[in-house]
Amino acid sequence: DGGITQSPKYLFRKEGQNVTLSCEQNLNHDAMYWYRQDPGQGLRLIYYSQIVNDFQKGDIAEGYSVSREKKESFPLTVTSAQKNPTAFYLCASSPSGVIGNEQFFGPGTRLTVL
Amino acid sequence: AQTVTQSQPEMSVQEAETVTLSCTYDTSENNYYLFWYKQPPSRQMILVIRQEAYKQQNATENRFSVNFQKAAKSFSLKISDSQLGDTAMYFCAFMNVRGGTSYGKLTFGQGTILTVHP
């Protein structure tokens, strides 16, 4: 089945530690995105990548880093510099080259900082 | 920068009735896409409906339809014959399709929690 997988579903981290969230897709999509969702707020874009080996900062990139070494994978690292990392993180992908494409979302990772 | 506003944090409706969720946006662009996404309790985001700004005809998908008022920058979602499975958070989203750094990015509203009562 084609789709987007995120792992783990729940993640706990101690303050001061870096942690990496996984996002994999087998939809052959060029573009991939990371969003953060907080209670009472909509999704906010952290980073996005429209092609392998290239990515851009979104609206709230501080304290996060990404890589895009393979088309299928777009891992997100939450660094110790992120002041308030507890949130729900969603990964999405879409085919590029067609205007107005739907973004397909993964099931999300809930990160809690202890 | 674009902004999307959903002024109704929560709404409720009886099963089989109709409900309308509001969304307004602010942009200086002339062409763009608007979306409604649904996030049920499972938290899986699902596309409900999509509208291109250049198309005057309102989009419809089965029980879901939109009222797109371009001049007023309004994009409301109407759900007819509401079902218990429609209970979810609904997000309005804007996508710029002009070239440049904002190309293809989605800007989301704050969301509206819809509860369908039996």
Side-chain angles (χ1 to χ4, degrees):
Chain A
D1 284 323
I4 302 174
T5 57
Q6 292 185 243
S7 61
K9 187 172 182 180
Y10 299 98
L11 188 56
F12 297 89
R13 187 194 93 175
K14 292 182 180 179
E15 278 194 36
Q17 287 182 338
N18 292 354
V19 63
T20 298
L21 282 60
S22 169
C23 177
E24 303 277 333
Q25 54 99 358
N26 61 3
L27 300 168
N28 200 33
H29 288 169
D30 289 309
M32 297 187 74
Y33 310 82
W34 273 106
Y35 294 92
R36 171 182 171 138
Q37 185 177 15
D38 293 286
Q41 297 191 43
L43 280 65
R44 293 182 290 167
L45 183 64
I46 305 172
Y47 268 98
Y48 64 105
S49 167
Q50 294 186 337
I51 198 167
V52 174
N53 293 323
D54 187 50
F55 50 83
Q56 286 80 38
K57 293 181 179 180
D59 301 318
I60 55 165
E62 185 175 352
Y64 300 97
S65 66
V66 294
S67 63
R68 188 83 187 280
E69 297 176 2
K70 298 187 299 183
K71 187 175 186 177
E72 312 80 53
S73 178
F74 191 42
L76 173 74
T77 297
V78 184
T79 74
S80 56
Q82 168 50 234
K83 300 268 187 282
N84 184 20
T86 294
F88 187 64
Y89 291 86
L90 284 160
C91 178
S93 71
S94 67
S96 62
V98 178
I99 295 173
N101 267 326
E102 169 188 357
Q103 288 185 16
F104 295 82
F105 285 82
T109 293
R110 175 73 187 175
L111 172 64
T112 302
V113 174
L114 304 173
Chain B
Q2 292 82 22
T3 59
V4 179
T5 302
Q6 294 177 249
S7 58
Q8 305 153 316
E10 294 187 42
M11 296 278 286
S12 64
V13 65
Q14 292 296 125
E15 200 174 4
E17 293 188 346
T18 296
V19 64
T20 298
L21 308 184
S22 301
C23 173
T24 58
Y25 58 94
D26 186 25
T27 183
S28 58
E29 302 295 335
N30 194 43
N31 194 21
Y32 45 87
Y33 276 77
L34 294 161
F35 301 80
W36 279 98
Y37 275 89
K38 166 184 176 180
Q39 187 180 44
S42 67
R43 306 201 78 169
Q44 177 69 56
M45 293 281 284
I46 303 163
L47 178 67
V48 175
I49 201 163
R50 169 176 46 199
Q51 174 81 42
E52 183 180 1
Y54 262 110
K55 292 187 177 178
Q56 293 185 337
Q57 186 173 6
N58 288 324
T60 62
E61 287 287 343
N62 301 314
R63 298 182 295 106
F64 299 88
S65 61
V66 298
N67 182 6
F68 174 47
Q69 302 289 329
K70 191 172 183 180
K73 296 180 182 175
S74 170
F75 183 60
S76 60
L77 175 70
K78 185 172 84 171
I79 305 174
S80 304
D81 185 26
S82 297
Q83 301 175 359
L84 296 178
D86 295 334
T87 292
M89 178 168 278
Y90 288 80
F91 291 98
C92 178
F94 173 99
M95 177 187 285
N96 174 37
V97 296
R98 183 176 60 86
T101 57
S102 62
Y103 180 85
K105 290 167 55 178
L106 280 174
T107 300
F108 286 86
Q110 307 92 320
T112 296
I113 299 172
L114 175 67
T115 303
V116 181
H117 297 285

